[in-house]
C-alpha cells in the first residue's frame, strides 16, 4: 500500500461529527446522551402520540361514568391515583436519565391535567344535574289540582295542555337580612279556574320578579309550554321560598297544599334532561378528537428533537474512531518507501 500525502496547508478537511454550533446542550432534557453514545430509549413516535391521548380519554370516560351515576368518590380518586403514578414514573425515568421517557411522562401529565379540568367542568355544569333528574320519576298529563304529595319522587313533570303559570298572582319576597338581598319569586300553577284556591305546584325562581308583578322566571321558549323541572330538595326548603308562598297566600287568598312542590317551568323537561348527557358526550368526543391532532403534532416535534434524522454532519457514529485520530501524522511512514509504483534505484 502507498502513502497518501497530507492535504496542503490551509486546505479544508472533512471531520465527521456535530458542528460546534449544533452540539446538544448538557442541560437540555432533549439531549441525546453523552460521550458519543445515543441515549437508551424505548419510546417511539406512537407512544409519544397515543399514550397521552389514551390517558386523556380514560380520564374523560371515568368522569362521564362517575358523573352520570353519582360516584363522586371516584372523581377524587381518579386524579389522585393518576397523578401519583405519573409523578412516580417521571421521577424514576429522570433519575435514570431516560430523556425520551421523561418527555413521555410530561406529555401524559399535561393530558391528565387538561382532561381533569374539562371533566370537572362538565360534571359541575351538566352531569350532576343529569344525575339528579335521572334519579327521580317523570310524570305526564299531570293536573295542577293533583296533590303534590303524590309527586314527591318526581323530577320532571308534564302538565295538561290547559295548565299555565298564573303570573297575575306573583309574589316576590326579598330577604333584607342577607348581604345579597335575593328576591324569592313564586307564582301558582293553575288550570285557569280562578275560583280554585288550593295550590299544589308553584313556579319559582330567584331574582326574576318584583314584589307583586313582572314574573320573568320563565324562559322565552317555555312560554306557552306545559312542562316543569322540580327544584332540588335543598331549594325546596329555603326559608325565602317558604316566606314567598306565605306572602302569596296572604295577598291573594290562596292556600298552599300540605306538600306543595316548587318547579321551574320548562318547554321540554325530559328532552332537557337527556340533552345534558348527550351534550357532555359530544363535548368529550370533540375535545378528544382535537387533542389527538394536537398530540400528533407535539409527539412528532418531540420525537424529532429527541432523535434527529441521521444527518452525517450531525450524528456521531460510536463505531467510528475519534475525529482527531482520523488522519495519520505528517511525514513519511517509518522505515517505508514513498510511493506505490516502482522504485527508484540507485
Amino acid at each position: 500500500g502507498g502513502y497518501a500525502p497530507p492535504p496542503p496547508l490551509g486546505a479544508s478537511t472533512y471531520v465527521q461529527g456535530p458542528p460546534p454550533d449544533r452540539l446538544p446542550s448538557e442541560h437540555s432534557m432533549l439531549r441525546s446522551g453523552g460521550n458519543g453514545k445515543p441515549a437508551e430509549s424505548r419510546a417511539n413516535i406512537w407512544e409519544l402520540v397515543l399514550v397521552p391521548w389514551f390517558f386523556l380519554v380514560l380520564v374523560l370516560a371515568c368522569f362521564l361514568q362517575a358523573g352520570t351515576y353519582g360516584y363522586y368518590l371516584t372523581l377524587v380518586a381518579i386524579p389522585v391515583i393518576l397523578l401519583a403514578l405519573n409523578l412516580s414514573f417521571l421521577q424514576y425515568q429522570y433519575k435514570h436519565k431516560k430523556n425520551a421517557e421523561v418527555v413521555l411522562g410530561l406529555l401524559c401529565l399535561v393530558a391528565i391535567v387538561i382532561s381533569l379540568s374539562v371533566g370537572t367542568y362538565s360534571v359541575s355544569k351538566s352531569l350532576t344535574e343529569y344525575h339528579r333528574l335521572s334519579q327521580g320519576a317523570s310524570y305526564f298529563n299531570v293536573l295542577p289540582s293533583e296533590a303534590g304529595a303524590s309527586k314527591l319522587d318526581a323530577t320532571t313533570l308534564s302538565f295538561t295542555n290547559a295548565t299555565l303559570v298564573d303570573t297575575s298572582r306573583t309574589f316576590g319576597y326579598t330577604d333584607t337580612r342577607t348581604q345579597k338581598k335575593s328576591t324569592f319569586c313564586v307564582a301558582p300553577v293553575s288550570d285557569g279556574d280562578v275560583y280554585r284556591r288550593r295550590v299544589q305546584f308553584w313556579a319559582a325562581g330567584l331574582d326574576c320578579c318584583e314584589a307583586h308583578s313582572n314574573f320573568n322566571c320563565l324562559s322565552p321558549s317555555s312560554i306557552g309550554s306545559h312542562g316543569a323541572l322540580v327544584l332540588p330538595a335543598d331549594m325546596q326548603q329555603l326559608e325565602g321560598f317558604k316566606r314567598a308562598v306565605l306572602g302569596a297566600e296572604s295577598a291573594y287568598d290562596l292556600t298552599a297544599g300540605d306538600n306543595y312542590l316548587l318547579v321551574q317551568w320548562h318547554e321540554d323537561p325530559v328532552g332537557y334532561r337527556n340533552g345534558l348527557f348527550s351534550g357532555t358526550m359530544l363535548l368529550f368526543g370533540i375535545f378528544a378528537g382535537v387533542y389527538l391532532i394536537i398530540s400528533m403534532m407535539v409527539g412528532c416535534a418531540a420525537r424529532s428533537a429527541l432523535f434527529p434524522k441521521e444527518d452525517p454532519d450531525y450524528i456521531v457514529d460510536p463505531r467510528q474512531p475519534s475525529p482527531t485520530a482520523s488522519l495519520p501524522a505528517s511525514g513519511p511512514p517509518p522505515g517505508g518507501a514513498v510511493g506505490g509504483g516502482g522504485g527508484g534505484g540507485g
Side-chain angles (χ1 to χ4, degrees), residues 148-314:
S150 64
K151 305 293 185 294
L152 291 179
D153 62 338
T155 53
T156 63
L157 297 170
S158 293
F159 291 93
T160 57
N161 292 336
T163 304
L164 51 83
V165 178
D166 188 357
T167 57
S168 65
R169 293 188 280 188
T170 297
F171 192 90
Y173 169 78
T174 302
D175 190 353
T176 57
R177 297 171 299 176
T178 61
Q179 183 177 2
K180 189 177 179 181
K181 296 181 175 58
S182 298
T183 300
F184 297 83
C185 305
V186 296
V189 176
S190 170
D191 58 1
D193 186 356
V194 296
Y195 299 104
R196 189 182 300 280
R197 299 298 179 185
R198 192 168 186 83
V199 180
Q200 302 288 348
F201 303 93
W202 298 83
L206 285 173
D207 300 321
C208 51
C209 72
E210 297 180 8
H212 298 282
S213 61
N214 293 334
F215 188 83
N216 296 317
C217 306
L218 308 177
S219 62
S221 61
S222 66
I223 296 177
S225 61
H226 312 285
L229 303 171
V230 179
L231 295 185
D234 56 341
M235 293 190 68
Q236 300 274 351
Q237 300 302 321
L238 288 178
E239 185 65 23
F241 281 126
K242 291 182 179 180
R243 290 182 177 272
V245 170
L246 290 174
E249 287 181 311
S250 175
Y252 303 111
D253 192 22
L254 300 174
T255 302
D258 294 334
N259 293 284
Y260 63 83
L261 291 177
L262 302 178
V263 299
Q264 177 187 1
W265 215 244
H266 202 282
E267 179 182 13
D268 182 10
V270 176
Y272 169 77
R273 179 196 64 193
N274 296 337
L276 292 173
F277 181 80
S278 60
T280 302
M281 284 280 291
L282 180 62
L283 172 64
F284 283 1
I286 294 175
F287 181 74
V290 171
Y291 196 87
L292 178 59
I293 297 174
I294 297 175
S295 184
M296 291 174 63
M297 295 187 294
V298 174
C300 291
R303 179 69 182 180
S304 299
L306 285 164
F307 306 105
K309 294 181 180 180
E310 295 188 1
D311 181 358
D313 290 333
Y314 186 82

Side-chain angles (χ1 to χ4, degrees), residues 80-118:
V80 171
I81 294 174
L82 289 180
L83 289 176
L85 291 175
N86 189 265
L87 291 176
S88 299
F89 175 83
L90 275 172
Q91 183 181 17
Y92 175 83
Q93 301 298 342
Y94 185 79
K95 180 179 179 180
H96 290 77
K97 299 180 179 179
K98 295 184 178 181
N99 297 328
E101 281 75 9
V102 171
V103 173
L104 175 61
L106 289 175
L107 294 177
C108 291
L109 179 62
V110 171
I112 292 172
V113 171
I114 292 177
S115 59
L116 288 176
S117 302
V118 175

